[in-house]
Amino acid sequence: GESVGLHLPTLSVQEGDNSIINCAYSNSASDYFIWYKQESGKGPQFIIDIRSNMDKRQGQRVTVLLNKTVKHLSLQIAATQPGDSAVYFCAENRYTGNTGKLIFGQGTTLQVKP
Amino acid sequence: GAGVSQSPRYKVTKRGQDVALRCDPISGHVSLYWYRQALGQGPEFLTYFNYEAQQDKSGLPNDRFSAERPEGSISTLTIQRTEQRDSAMYRCASSLEVDTEAFFGQGTRLTVV
């Protein structure tokens, strides 16, 4: 079946540590992936994206890694802060021609301990 | 506008009534998506518009659900004869093009009683 999923439902880290959130996808034809952060009561917020012609992309304190061989995606957050506490979703953008849709995984809850 | 705007923010309706949920995307965004999100779950795709054309409605649960975007901007998601199982957060998102990042609105919390 076609799905996008996350390995762990909850990740707890100490403030200042690095966080790694993982995601597995099953559609080998997918070539665009997005990480979203969702805080309580809010809509998903875009963090970073990556296309399949790249293995790594960096943003401010965040890095996304893509391993197409094993169909695995990860989000690394450096020096995790309390404000990073949220649910993180990976999403796979499946588009063909003019049609597109984002397929979301179940989400990983990141808890940052002070 | 500055972001994706959805209205109403909250809607309580009686079972059997029709409801219309509105989405005002970011100005100039070609692509518009509707999603449904249950508590503790990721957003579930409902339908996709490219300008005014509904190019993918594979996620609509049944024929009680419909959506339109007649002028390629504002979109309406309509649920006819609502049922309790329709209760959820309905989210709209827009993107400049189909393969660029999508921005989400705050959502409409629908409760069917």
Side-chain angles (χ1 to χ4, degrees):
Chain A
E2 296 181 342
S3 66
V4 179
L6 296 167
H7 292 310
L8 294 173
T10 303
L11 176 66
S12 186
V13 300
Q14 203 71 37
E15 181 179 356
D17 287 351
N18 297 334
S19 303
I20 299 177
I21 301 172
N22 295 305
C23 179
Y25 64 95
S26 59
N27 190 335
S28 57
S30 297
D31 60 1
Y32 180 47
F33 303 88
I34 308 172
W35 280 100
Y36 283 91
K37 172 186 180 183
Q38 188 170 22
E39 297 174 284
S40 181
K42 297 184 178 180
Q45 176 186 1
F46 171 87
I47 302 174
I48 192 168
D49 59 2
I50 189 168
R51 299 187 187 275
S52 61
N53 60 350
M54 302 174 71
D55 297 324
K56 179 180 179 180
R57 192 169 187 210
Q58 289 184 294
Q60 186 177 14
R61 283 201 306 119
V62 295
T63 300
V64 55
L65 299 177
L66 175 62
N67 186 330
K68 296 179 287 295
T69 302
V70 295
K71 291 183 284 188
H72 183 269
L73 194 68
S74 69
L75 176 70
Q76 300 178 1
I77 304 174
T80 312
Q81 302 169 359
D84 294 328
S85 294
V87 180
Y88 289 81
F89 294 99
C90 64
E92 170 189 6
N93 192 332
R94 297 181 189 173
Y95 61 94
T96 54
N98 292 323
T99 299
K101 59 186 176 185
L102 286 171
I103 304 299
F104 283 79
Q106 292 304 302
T108 292
T109 300
L110 177 63
Q111 299 175 339
V112 182
K113 297 178 288 186
Chain B
V4 179
S5 178
Q6 292 186 247
S7 61
R9 289 292 306 278
Y10 303 92
K11 177 69 176 178
V12 180
T13 189
K14 292 184 177 180
R15 187 173 48 188
Q17 297 293 306
D18 298 349
V19 295
L21 311 181
R22 174 187 166 119
C23 173
D24 195 348
I26 295 172
S27 179
H29 278 198
V30 168
S31 298
L32 185 145
Y33 309 80
W34 280 100
Y35 284 83
R36 179 169 65 177
Q37 187 172 22
L39 197 62
Q41 302 292 316
E44 173 193 8
F45 172 81
L46 295 177
T47 187
Y48 165 76
F49 287 87
N50 180 40
Y51 291 105
E52 72 281 0
Q54 188 176 20
Q55 297 195 328
D56 190 333
K57 54 182 180 180
S58 61
L60 296 178
N62 50 62
D63 59 8
R64 294 187 297 107
F65 288 73
S66 62
E68 63 175 8
R69 192 186 186 198
E71 297 179 359
S73 180
I74 293 170
S75 177
T76 302
L77 177 69
T78 301
I79 308 173
Q80 296 178 311
R81 306 180 302 282
T82 52
E83 301 176 5
Q84 284 188 322
R85 59 177 173 159
D86 299 333
S87 297
M89 176 70 81
Y90 288 83
R91 298 197 184 276
C92 175
S94 71
S95 62
L96 191 59
E97 297 176 358
V98 67
D99 60 346
T100 59
E101 63 266 32
F103 297 90
F104 282 80
Q106 291 286 70
T108 294
R109 169 70 67 186
L110 175 67
T111 303
V112 183
V113 297

